[in-house]
Amino acid sequence: MATERQRRLRRALTALIPRAPFIDAEAIREAARSRHMRSLSPESAIWLSTVAHIRHQHTDYDELMDDGYDKDAARFFVLDDTNAVLDEWGATRRLDPEALDEEAPTEPRLVAEDDDRGDDDWPDGRWHEDD
């Protein structure tokens, strides 16, 4: 039986990314249910999870990072590919090339005092210690 949060995430995914393939939608919902996403609205959690999923699974982002590009440069180079997937999936929004930091959540998140992960790790929807 699904929780209310899970139902809201499912509805948000359907509204924001209506044509996402089932296997991708499952991975996005799973990421949106992560502990560090709980303080976000379902819509924000789905958006961040979608962008991170597309970036890591449908673009050359990881290869660019492995080749030594920094996070901002790698994101810049995969922006068009990310938006192409968003368009294909019927997304209601796109990443703006003029505001690459737009995907950062506008909602506060709780961070333990001993948490040394910077906000620059947050927009991925995943924690990255190495990139």
Side-chain angles (χ1 to χ4, degrees), residues 49-59 81-82 85-86 89:
S49 297
T50 299
V51 170
H53 177 77
I54 291 170
R55 186 179 289 138
H56 290 282
Q57 300 301 317
H58 297 278
T59 73
D81 293 336
T82 303
V85 173
L86 288 168
W89 291 358

Side-chain angles (χ1 to χ4, degrees), residues 67-110:
D67 288 344
Y69 286 88
D70 68 28
K71 195 183 306 187
D72 291 334
R75 288 178 180 182
F76 173 80
F77 287 120
V78 301
L79 182 85
D80 290 338
D81 293 336
T82 303
N83 279 333
V85 173
L86 288 168
D87 290 343
E88 181 181 328
W89 291 358
T92 59
R93 64 185 281 201
R94 307 175 89 230
L95 292 176
D96 181 355
E98 299 299 318
L100 285 177
D101 63 344
E102 76 165 292
E103 61 192 274
T106 56
E107 302 170 48
R109 69 180 176 104
L110 299 175

